[in-house]
Amino acid sequence: MGDAFGGLCLRTVWLNEPNWREQVEEAFKQGASVSLIAPPDARGDLKSAILSLAVEPMELGFLQVYPLVEGVQRYPRGFGVRLRVRETVQ
């Protein structure tokens, strides 16, 4: 699932899915930004996920990258963090 934002694809990933990190990595490999969403009662889990992404690089091809946080939003169904990487694999 994704939306177009500023000409770029935005993929939505739910933190409560067991393979959320793999979904984030796959979206980055496809050149998309990610909106990582957590339910309202999982703010602590969202914080842990952001910290995990900040200290454990993702492998995109031959690159090891750390996602950048572009913003945080509150939604009716929870909280979202928009992530992107500067480097993309062509």
Side-chain angles (χ1 to χ4, degrees):
M1 178 187 311
D3 300 310
F5 183 85
L8 299 174
C9 182
L10 177 63
R11 181 89 37 91
T12 300
V13 176
W14 284 89
L15 184 60
N16 56 0
E17 295 181 9
N19 65 339
W20 68 267
R21 190 175 176 99
E22 290 82 11
Q23 290 183 50
V24 169
E25 191 170 323
E26 186 58 34
F28 289 153
K29 286 179 182 176
Q30 295 175 8
S33 293
V34 172
S35 182
L36 184 60
I37 309 287
D41 61 345
R43 288 184 301 193
D45 294 337
L46 186 58
K47 177 182 174 181
S48 295
I50 294 167
L51 292 173
S52 166
L53 292 168
V55 298
E56 299 171 22
M58 295 190 154
E59 292 190 21
L60 302 183
F62 60 90
L63 299 173
Q64 288 193 332
V65 298
Y66 297 90
L68 302 171
V69 173
E70 290 192 319
V72 178
Q73 286 186 290
R74 185 175 184 152
Y75 297 103
R77 295 178 56 196
F79 294 90
V81 176
R82 186 181 166 114
L83 305 165
R84 72 174 179 89
V85 292
R86 281 193 197 124
E87 303 84 359
T88 57
V89 179
Q90 301 290 324

